[in-house]
Amino acid sequence: MVPLSFADQEFFLTDSGALFWPRENALLVADLHLEKASFYAQHGQMLPPYDSRETLERLALAIRETGARRVFTLGDNFHDAGGAERLEPHAAGMLAALTRATDWVWITGNHDAPKPGERAGTPAGGTIAEELEVAGMILRHQAMPGEIRPEFSGHYHPRLQITVRQRRIRRPCAVVSCDAAGSGRMILPAFGALTGGMNAADPAILSAMQPAHTIHALLPAGGRLVKFALWEAGNPTHP
């Protein structure tokens, strides 16, 4: 867990991709995608059915390590709207215990919305919101282009892709933008056990973070925060 400054406040980024907010005693996580394996199994692609257990175990550990009393999930909590109803008893019990032990808020994402004719399941415990403003910070699922307020979001599953000593490295990362006035926005890495990722320098991510003066990828490594430049206004070497 490493400290980072964002929007004039101190936060801690965990190795698992959760963000701890000491001022609010809150843990932020994005894109749990619970029950992704069971969703694929319904369509004939068999995966080990324990992704929800693994994700919830990692989340419980992050809560214990930080001492967080509040949890905000930033959307795509389940892989589909019926995921909550497919939780096997052990994972359902884990989730119920976590939502009882904390002030838990589910912010909804595109995967959580039911398709036409589909009924949405209800997660065990907690409250549900489309987006929130907490202590001046906007919490939503997908970064809104043009947003000038401090913002936390998910959706894109950013991963840093670099080559070091002829080795290709892909690591989940946070993406942080800073505008000319010093205000910032952050996309958190996906927290779920079965989530893939998008190149942090992908044009879709860079576009979503505008207006910006700089955009960086951040990840914890070796007990410190590592920062990689992704984009800078007026710099032709950055996409």
Side-chain angles (χ1 to χ4, degrees), residues 6-49:
F6 175 80
D8 297 324
Q9 293 192 44
E10 292 300 313
F11 295 84
F12 289 88
L13 186 62
T14 72
D15 290 341
S16 60
L19 186 72
F20 179 57
W21 188 359
R23 175 176 168 176
E24 297 297 318
N25 202 10
L27 194 71
L28 279 66
V29 291
D31 299 282
L32 301 178
H33 283 269
L34 298 170
E35 290 306 300
K36 184 174 181 177
S38 64
F39 172 83
Y40 277 95
Q42 288 182 326
H43 296 83
Q45 185 175 346
M46 305 308 294
L47 296 173

Coordinates of all heavy atoms in Angstrom, one line a residue, residues 6-49:
F6 N -3.8 13.4 -4.3 CA -4.8 13.6 -5.4 C -5.8 14.6 -4.9 O -6.4 14.5 -3.8 CB -5.5 12.3 -5.7 CG -6.6 12.4 -6.7 CD1 -6.3 12.5 -8.1 CD2 -7.9 12.4 -6.3 CE1 -7.3 12.6 -9.0 CE2 -8.9 12.6 -7.3 CZ -8.6 12.6 -8.6
A7 N -6.0 15.7 -5.7 CA -7.0 16.7 -5.4 C -6.8 17.3 -4.0 O -7.7 17.5 -3.3 CB -8.4 16.2 -5.6
D8 N -5.5 17.5 -3.7 CA -5.2 18.1 -2.4 C -5.5 17.2 -1.2 O -5.7 17.7 -0.1 CB -5.8 19.5 -2.2 CG -5.3 20.5 -3.2 OD1 -4.1 20.4 -3.6 OD2 -6.2 21.3 -3.7
Q9 N -5.6 15.9 -1.4 CA -5.9 15.0 -0.3 C -4.9 13.8 -0.4 O -4.4 13.6 -1.5 CB -7.3 14.5 -0.3 CG -8.4 15.6 0.0 CD -9.7 15.0 0.3 OE1 -9.8 14.0 1.0 NE2 -10.8 15.6 -0.3
E10 N -4.8 13.1 0.7 CA -3.9 11.9 0.7 C -4.7 10.7 0.5 O -5.8 10.5 1.2 CB -3.1 11.9 2.0 CG -2.1 13.0 2.1 CD -1.0 13.0 1.0 OE1 -0.5 11.9 0.7 OE2 -0.8 14.0 0.4
F11 N -4.2 9.8 -0.3 CA -4.9 8.5 -0.5 C -3.8 7.4 -0.4 O -2.6 7.7 -0.4 CB -5.5 8.4 -1.9 CG -6.7 9.4 -2.0 CD1 -6.5 10.7 -2.3 CD2 -8.0 8.9 -1.8 CE1 -7.6 11.6 -2.5 CE2 -9.1 9.8 -1.9 CZ -8.9 11.1 -2.3
F12 N -4.2 6.1 -0.4 CA -3.3 5.0 -0.5 C -3.8 4.0 -1.6 O -4.9 3.6 -1.6 CB -3.2 4.3 0.8 CG -2.5 5.1 1.9 CD1 -3.2 6.0 2.7 CD2 -1.1 4.9 2.1 CE1 -2.5 6.7 3.7 CE2 -0.5 5.7 3.1 CZ -1.2 6.6 3.9
L13 N -2.9 3.6 -2.5 CA -3.2 2.7 -3.5 C -2.6 1.3 -3.1 O -1.5 1.2 -2.8 CB -2.6 3.1 -4.8 CG -2.9 2.3 -6.1 CD1 -4.4 2.3 -6.4 CD2 -2.1 2.8 -7.3
T14 N -3.5 0.3 -3.0 CA -3.1 -1.0 -2.6 C -2.5 -1.8 -3.8 O -2.8 -1.5 -4.9 CB -4.2 -1.8 -1.9 OG1 -5.2 -2.2 -2.9 CG2 -4.9 -1.0 -0.9
D15 N -1.8 -2.9 -3.5 CA -1.3 -3.7 -4.6 C -2.4 -4.4 -5.3 O -2.2 -4.8 -6.5 CB -0.4 -4.8 -4.0 CG 0.9 -4.2 -3.5 OD1 1.3 -3.1 -3.9 OD2 1.6 -4.9 -2.6
S16 N -3.6 -4.6 -4.7 CA -4.7 -5.2 -5.3 C -5.5 -4.3 -6.2 O -6.4 -4.7 -6.9 CB -5.6 -5.8 -4.3 OG -6.1 -4.8 -3.4
G17 N -5.2 -3.0 -6.2 CA -5.9 -2.0 -7.0 C -7.0 -1.3 -6.3 O -7.8 -0.5 -7.0
A18 N -7.2 -1.5 -5.0 CA -8.2 -0.7 -4.3 C -7.5 0.6 -3.9 O -6.3 0.8 -3.7 CB -8.6 -1.4 -3.0
L19 N -8.3 1.7 -3.6 CA -7.9 3.0 -3.2 C -8.5 3.3 -1.9 O -9.7 3.3 -1.7 CB -8.3 4.0 -4.2 CG -7.7 5.4 -4.0 CD1 -6.2 5.5 -4.3 CD2 -8.5 6.5 -4.8
F20 N -7.6 3.6 -0.9 CA -8.1 3.9 0.5 C -8.1 5.4 0.6 O -7.1 6.1 0.3 CB -7.2 3.3 1.5 CG -7.7 3.6 2.9 CD1 -8.9 3.3 3.4 CD2 -6.8 4.2 3.8 CE1 -9.4 3.6 4.6 CE2 -7.2 4.5 5.1 CZ -8.5 4.2 5.5
W21 N -9.1 6.0 1.2 CA -9.4 7.4 1.3 C -9.4 7.7 2.8 O -10.5 7.6 3.4 CB -10.6 7.8 0.6 CG -11.0 9.2 0.5 CD1 -10.3 10.3 1.0 CD2 -12.1 9.8 -0.1 NE1 -10.9 11.5 0.7 CE2 -12.1 11.2 0.0 CE3 -13.2 9.2 -0.8 CZ2 -13.0 12.0 -0.5 CZ3 -14.2 10.0 -1.3 CH2 -14.1 11.4 -1.2
P22 N -8.3 8.0 3.5 CA -8.3 8.2 4.9 C -9.3 9.2 5.5 O -9.9 9.0 6.5 CB -6.9 8.6 5.2 CG -6.1 8.0 4.1 CD -6.9 8.2 2.9
R23 N -9.4 10.3 4.8 CA -10.4 11.3 5.3 C -11.8 10.8 5.5 O -12.5 11.2 6.4 CB -10.3 12.5 4.3 CG -11.4 13.6 4.7 CD -11.2 14.8 3.7 NE -12.4 15.7 3.9 CZ -12.5 16.9 3.3 NH1 -11.5 17.3 2.5 NH2 -13.5 17.6 3.5
E24 N -12.2 10.0 4.6 CA -13.6 9.4 4.6 C -13.6 8.0 5.2 O -14.6 7.4 5.3 CB -14.2 9.4 3.2 CG -14.4 10.7 2.6 CD -15.3 11.6 3.4 OE1 -16.4 11.1 3.9 OE2 -15.0 12.8 3.6
N25 N -12.4 7.5 5.6 CA -12.2 6.1 6.0 C -12.9 5.1 5.1 O -13.7 4.2 5.5 CB -12.8 5.9 7.5 CG -12.2 4.7 8.2 OD1 -11.3 4.1 7.7 ND2 -12.8 4.3 9.3
A26 N -12.7 5.3 3.8 CA -13.4 4.6 2.8 C -12.5 3.9 1.8 O -11.4 4.4 1.5 CB -14.3 5.6 2.0
L27 N -12.9 2.8 1.3 CA -12.2 2.0 0.3 C -13.0 2.1 -1.0 O -14.2 1.9 -1.0 CB -12.1 0.6 0.7 CG -11.1 -0.3 -0.1 CD1 -9.7 0.1 0.3 CD2 -11.3 -1.8 0.3
L28 N -12.3 2.5 -2.1 CA -12.9 2.5 -3.4 C -12.4 1.4 -4.3 O -11.2 1.2 -4.3 CB -12.6 3.9 -4.1 CG -13.4 5.1 -3.7 CD1 -13.2 5.5 -2.3 CD2 -13.1 6.3 -4.7
V29 N -13.3 0.7 -4.9 CA -12.9 -0.4 -5.8 C -13.7 -0.3 -7.1 O -14.9 0.1 -7.0 CB -13.0 -1.8 -5.2 CG1 -12.0 -2.0 -4.1 CG2 -14.5 -2.0 -4.7
A30 N -13.2 -0.7 -8.2 CA -13.9 -0.6 -9.5 C -14.0 -2.0 -10.2 O -13.1 -2.8 -10.0 CB -13.2 0.4 -10.4
D31 N -15.1 -2.2 -10.8 CA -15.2 -3.4 -11.8 C -14.9 -4.7 -11.1 O -13.9 -5.4 -11.5 CB -14.3 -3.2 -13.0 CG -14.6 -1.9 -13.8 OD1 -15.6 -2.0 -14.5 OD2 -14.0 -0.9 -13.6
L32 N -15.7 -5.1 -10.1 CA -15.6 -6.4 -9.5 C -16.0 -7.5 -10.5 O -15.4 -8.6 -10.4 CB -16.5 -6.5 -8.3 CG -16.3 -5.4 -7.2 CD1 -17.3 -5.6 -6.0 CD2 -14.8 -5.5 -6.6
H33 N -16.9 -7.3 -11.3 CA -17.4 -8.3 -12.3 C -17.7 -9.6 -11.6 O -17.2 -10.7 -12.1 CB -16.4 -8.4 -13.4 CG -16.5 -7.3 -14.4 ND1 -17.3 -7.3 -15.5 CD2 -15.9 -6.1 -14.5 CE1 -17.2 -6.2 -16.2 NE2 -16.4 -5.4 -15.6
L34 N -18.3 -9.6 -10.5 CA -18.7 -10.9 -9.8 C -19.5 -11.8 -10.7 O -20.3 -11.3 -11.5 CB -19.4 -10.6 -8.5 CG -18.7 -9.7 -7.4 CD1 -19.6 -9.3 -6.3 CD2 -17.5 -10.5 -6.9
E35 N -19.3 -13.0 -10.6 CA -20.0 -14.1 -11.3 C -19.8 -14.0 -12.8 O -20.6 -14.4 -13.6 CB -21.5 -14.1 -11.0 CG -21.9 -14.5 -9.6 CD -21.3 -15.9 -9.3 OE1 -21.6 -16.9 -10.0 OE2 -20.5 -16.0 -8.4
K36 N -18.6 -13.6 -13.2 CA -18.2 -13.6 -14.6 C -18.1 -15.0 -15.1 O -18.5 -15.4 -16.2 CB -16.9 -12.8 -14.8 CG -16.5 -12.7 -16.3 CD -15.3 -11.8 -16.5 CE -15.0 -11.7 -18.0 NZ -13.8 -10.8 -18.2
A37 N -17.5 -15.9 -14.3 CA -17.3 -17.3 -14.8 C -18.6 -18.0 -15.0 O -18.8 -18.7 -16.0 CB -16.5 -18.1 -13.7
S38 N -19.6 -17.8 -14.1 CA -20.9 -18.4 -14.3 C -21.7 -17.9 -15.5 O -22.4 -18.6 -16.1 CB -21.7 -18.3 -13.0 OG -22.1 -16.9 -12.7
F39 N -21.4 -16.6 -15.8 CA -22.0 -16.0 -17.0 C -21.5 -16.7 -18.2 O -22.3 -17.1 -19.1 CB -21.7 -14.5 -17.0 CG -22.1 -13.8 -18.3 CD1 -23.4 -13.4 -18.5 CD2 -21.2 -13.7 -19.4 CE1 -23.8 -12.8 -19.7 CE2 -21.6 -13.1 -20.5 CZ -22.9 -12.6 -20.7
Y40 N -20.2 -16.9 -18.3 CA -19.6 -17.6 -19.5 C -20.1 -19.1 -19.5 O -20.3 -19.6 -20.6 CB -18.1 -17.5 -19.5 CG -17.6 -16.2 -20.0 CD1 -17.3 -15.1 -19.2 CD2 -17.5 -16.0 -21.4 CE1 -16.9 -13.9 -19.8 CE2 -17.1 -14.8 -22.0 CZ -16.8 -13.8 -21.1 OH -16.4 -12.6 -21.7
A41 N -20.2 -19.7 -18.3 CA -20.7 -21.1 -18.3 C -22.1 -21.2 -18.9 O -22.4 -22.2 -19.6 CB -20.7 -21.6 -16.9
Q42 N -22.9 -20.2 -18.7 CA -24.3 -20.2 -19.3 C -24.2 -20.2 -20.8 O -25.2 -20.7 -21.5 CB -25.1 -19.0 -18.8 CG -25.5 -19.0 -17.4 CD -26.3 -17.8 -17.0 OE1 -26.1 -16.7 -17.6 NE2 -27.3 -17.9 -16.2
H43 N -23.1 -19.7 -21.4 CA -23.0 -19.7 -22.8 C -22.0 -20.7 -23.4 O -21.4 -20.6 -24.5 CB -22.5 -18.3 -23.2 CG -23.6 -17.2 -22.9 ND1 -23.7 -16.7 -21.6 CD2 -24.5 -16.6 -23.6 CE1 -24.7 -15.8 -21.6 NE2 -25.2 -15.7 -22.8
G44 N -21.7 -21.7 -22.5 CA -21.0 -22.9 -23.0 C -19.5 -22.8 -22.8 O -18.7 -23.7 -23.2
Q45 N -18.9 -21.7 -22.3 CA -17.5 -21.6 -22.0 C -17.2 -21.8 -20.6 O -17.5 -21.0 -19.7 CB -17.0 -20.2 -22.5 CG -15.5 -20.1 -22.3 CD -15.0 -18.7 -22.9 OE1 -15.7 -18.0 -23.5 NE2 -13.7 -18.4 -22.6
M46 N -16.7 -23.0 -20.2 CA -16.6 -23.4 -18.9 C -15.3 -22.8 -18.3 O -14.2 -23.1 -18.8 CB -16.6 -24.9 -18.7 CG -17.8 -25.6 -19.4 SD -19.4 -24.9 -18.8 CE -19.4 -25.4 -17.1
L47 N -15.5 -22.1 -17.2 CA -14.4 -21.5 -16.4 C -14.5 -22.0 -15.0 O -15.6 -22.3 -14.5 CB -14.4 -20.0 -16.5 CG -14.2 -19.3 -17.8 CD1 -14.4 -17.8 -17.8 CD2 -12.8 -19.6 -18.4
P48 N -13.4 -22.0 -14.2 CA -13.5 -22.4 -12.8 C -14.4 -21.4 -12.1 O -14.3 -20.2 -12.2 CB -12.0 -22.2 -12.3 CG -11.2 -22.4 -13.5 CD -12.0 -21.8 -14.6
P49 N -15.4 -22.0 -11.3 CA -16.5 -21.1 -10.8 C -16.2 -20.5 -9.5 O -17.0 -20.3 -8.6 CB -17.6 -22.2 -10.6 CG -16.9 -23.4 -10.3 CD -15.6 -23.4 -11.1

